C-alpha cells in the first residue's frame, strides 16, 4: 500500500507521537472459504477515505485533528497462526503506547489476535461482535485461526455480545450464549434490542465489526453476504449509543471484499470507520491528553434477559 497518511490528512495530524489514534491495516485473506479478495480491503478502504469529506455534519466535528497515525500494514501470511501472533504483538505494542488502536482487515480471522491483545490489556472486557455469522467454531478446516473461528476464543475469555446474527452451523449452538445473542429476525421485530445489548455490556468494550452485518442492498462487496442485515442509520444510532454509554477501548472492521465495478461499499466502510472515531472523541478537545488506561477493573459482567418481557398493554 502506497498511502502516506490516512485519508490524505496533513502530516501534522499523522505523526505517531502527536496522534491519539493508530490505524493498522491487515491485508490478509488466508482462510476465507467463498469469495476471495478481503486482502484488497484495506487498500480500497484507504483510497475511499481519501475521497471522503472530513467534516462530520451530524456532530459538527473533524475527528482527524485528534491525530490518526497510519501504521505499516501487517503482511504476515505464511500461516494463520503466525498472522494472528503478529497482529496480537503489534496491536499490544500500540495499546501500551497509550493509543486508541483500530484495525482494518482483511478477513475476520485477524480479530483473534486483536481481541487477545485487548483482553490482556483491559480488565473485564466485553467484545461486541456485529456480524451476520456466529463465527464460533473451535476449529475449521484444520485451523483454530480460521475466519469461522473469529470469536470462539472471545466467547471463552470475555463477555461476548453478538448482534445481527443470521447464519450459523448447528454445532455453534453448543457454544453460543443465546441470552447475549441478538438474532437479526428478533431485532427486526423488537426495537428494545439496542438498550438490552448495552445493558449486558461491561464498562470496557471492544468492537469487532464484520461488514457483512449490513444488508447486501447497501454492502454487496463482502465475501459472504447474507440477506436481512442492518441498514445505515440504525447501525450508527446503536454505535453512537455504545460509545456514549461505554468506554470503547478499540475496534476493528473486517471483510470488505472490494469489487472494481462497485465503489459504494468501499465508501461505506470508510464512512463507518470515520463515524466510529467521531463518536469515540466526540466530547474530547483536540488539545486534551488521551488516556486509554489499561488493566483497571471496570465493573462486572451483567446477566439479564435479552428482551423486555414486561407487557405494557
Amino acid at each position: 500500500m502506497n498511502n502516506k497518511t490516512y485519508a490524505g490528512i496533513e502530516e501534522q495530524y499523522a505523526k505517531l507521537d502527536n496522534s491519539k489514534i493508530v490505524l493498522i491495516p491487515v491485508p490478509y485473506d488466508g482462510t476465507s472459504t467463498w469469495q476471495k479478495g478481503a486482502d484488497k480491503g484495506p487498500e480500497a478502504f484507504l483510497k475511499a477515505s481519501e475521497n471522503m469529506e472530513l467534516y462530520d455534519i451530524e456532530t459538527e466535528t473533524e475527528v482527524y485533528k485528534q491525530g490518526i497515525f497510519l501504521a505499516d500494514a501487517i503482511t504476515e501470511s505464511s500461516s494463520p497462526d503466525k498472522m494472528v501472533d503478529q497482529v496480537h504483538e503489534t496491536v499490544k505494542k500500540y495499546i501500551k503506547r497509550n493509543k486508541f488502536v483500530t484495525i482494518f482487515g482483511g478477513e475476520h480471522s485477524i480479530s483473534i489476535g486483536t481481541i487477545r491483545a485487548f483482553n490482556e490489556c483491559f480488565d473485564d472486557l466485553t467484545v461486541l461482535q456485529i456480524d451476520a455469522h456466529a463465527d464460533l467454531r473451535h476449529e475449521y478446516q484444520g485451523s483454530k485461526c480460521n475466519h469461522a473461528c473469529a470469536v470462539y476464543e472471545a466467547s471463552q475469555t470475555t463477555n461476548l455480545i453478538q448482534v445481527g446474527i443470521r447464519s450459523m452451523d448447528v454445532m455453534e449452538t453448543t457454544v453460543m450464549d443465546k441470552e447475549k445473542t441478538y438474532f437479526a429476525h428478533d431485532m427486526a421485530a423488537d426495537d428494545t434490542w439496542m438498550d438490552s445489548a448495552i445493558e449486558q455490556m461491561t464498562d470496557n468494550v471492544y468492537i469487532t465489526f464484520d461488514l457483512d452485518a449490513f444488508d447486501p442492498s447497501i454492502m454487496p462487496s463482502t465475501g459472504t453476504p447474507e440477506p436481512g442485515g442492518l441498514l445505515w442509520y440504525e447501525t450508527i444510532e446503536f454505535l453512537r449509543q455504545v460509545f456514549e454509554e461505554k468506554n470503547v477501548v478499540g475496534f476493528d472492521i473486517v471483510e470488505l471484499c472490494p469489487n472494481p465495478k462497485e465503489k459504494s461499499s468501499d465508501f461505506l466502510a470508510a464512512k463507518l470507520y470515520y463515524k466510529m472515531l467521531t463518536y469515540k472523541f466526540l466530547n474530547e478537545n483536540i488539545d486534551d491528553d488521551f488516556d486509554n488506561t489499561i488493566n483497571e477493573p471496570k465493573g462486572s459482567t451483567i446477566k439479564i434477559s435479552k428482551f423486555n418481557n414486561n407487557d405494557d398493554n
Side-chain angles (χ1 to χ4, degrees):
M1 285 178 282
N2 297 319
N3 307 76
K4 294 182 179 180
T5 67
Y6 163 76
I9 61 177
E10 300 98 316
E11 280 291 335
Q12 69 183 97
Y13 300 117
K15 294 179 180 178
L16 177 59
D17 289 344
N18 300 332
S19 295
K20 298 176 185 177
I21 302 153
V22 169
L23 166 60
I24 307 171
V26 188
Y28 180 77
D29 192 23
T31 74
S32 59
T33 50
W34 189 23
Q35 297 186 85
K36 292 287 187 179
D39 56 322
K40 306 297 191 299
E43 184 175 5
F45 154 76
L46 288 168
K47 286 183 177 178
S49 299
E50 291 178 351
N51 293 284
M52 180 181 64
E53 299 288 359
L54 297 178
Y55 173 73
D56 183 71
I57 297 173
E58 177 193 3
T59 61
E60 300 180 326
T61 62
E62 294 175 294
V63 71
Y64 77 91
K65 292 182 178 179
Q66 301 284 352
I68 305 173
F69 173 71
L70 177 59
D72 292 336
I74 296 174
T75 57
E76 173 61 61
S77 60
S78 58
S79 74
D81 298 75
K82 289 182 179 179
M83 178 277 297
V84 166
D85 289 343
Q86 185 62 60
V87 170
H88 168 253
E89 179 182 335
T90 304
V91 169
K92 195 168 183 178
K93 175 183 72 174
Y94 285 115
I95 294 173
K96 289 185 172 182
R97 292 195 63 163
N98 193 33
K99 303 298 182 182
F100 184 74
V101 183
T102 63
I103 305 92
F104 198 97
E107 60 164 74
H108 211 167
S109 61
I110 72 159
S111 301
I112 299 171
T114 68
I115 293 169
R116 189 178 296 167
F118 278 92
N119 194 34
E120 289 171 357
C121 292
F122 293 92
D123 288 334
D124 208 10
L125 186 69
T126 288
V127 171
L128 169 59
Q129 175 200 6
I130 304 175
D131 201 331
H133 306 90
D135 291 344
L136 284 171
R137 288 174 169 89
H138 179 244
E139 181 178 286
Y140 191 64
Q141 294 188 338
S143 174
K144 294 180 180 179
C145 296
N146 190 282
H147 72 105
C149 313
V151 295
Y152 174 81
E153 184 175 309
S155 74
Q156 304 301 300
T157 60
T158 75
N159 179 44
L160 177 65
I161 309 291
Q162 299 183 283
V163 169
I165 307 301
R166 54 196 190 275
S167 179
M168 60 187 293
D169 185 81
V170 66
M171 64 77 56
E172 293 174 282
T173 62
T174 64
V175 178
M176 175 179 282
D177 184 344
K178 291 186 178 179
E179 287 301 311
K180 295 181 180 179
T181 304
Y182 294 81
F183 293 104
H185 67 279
D186 289 330
M187 292 162 58
D190 192 324
D191 60 8
T192 67
W193 69 267
M194 293 187 193
D195 290 336
S196 173
I198 292 171
E199 286 173 0
Q200 296 205 84
M201 297 176 193
T202 54
D203 285 351
N204 288 335
V205 176
Y206 178 80
I207 301 173
T208 178
F209 198 118
D210 188 325
L211 290 166
D212 64 29
F214 284 113
D215 192 79
S217 63
I218 64 169
M219 174 49 73
S221 296
T222 187
T224 48
E226 291 281 348
L230 291 163
L231 298 177
W232 177 253
Y233 283 108
E234 64 181 323
T235 301
I236 62 170
E237 177 188 353
F238 177 53
L239 288 170
R240 181 164 182 167
Q241 194 172 338
V242 173
F243 277 95
E244 286 177 347
E245 298 185 27
K246 300 297 177 179
N247 177 35
V248 177
V249 297
F251 64 82
D252 67 58
I253 298 175
V254 298
E255 297 286 355
L256 175 64
C257 187
N259 180 342
K261 297 181 180 180
E262 192 278 301
K263 297 297 185 182
S264 64
S265 295
D266 305 351
F267 200 82
L268 186 152
K271 196 80 169 182
L272 175 68
Y273 177 82
Y274 201 69
K275 271 291 187 185
M276 291 173 75
L277 290 185
T278 296
Y279 294 152
K280 172 63 182 179
F281 290 90
L282 183 56
N283 297 313
E284 186 166 334
N285 294 323
I286 292 169
D287 295 330
D288 290 345
D289 291 332
F290 179 63
D291 184 12
N292 211 22
T293 305
I294 65 175
N295 280 335
E296 288 191 359
K298 297 281 188 178
S300 59
T301 302
I302 302 168
K303 294 183 179 180
I304 63 171
S305 176
K306 281 196 302 180
F307 297 115
N308 185 358
N309 293 322
N310 294 330
D311 190 351
D312 295 329
N313 296 327

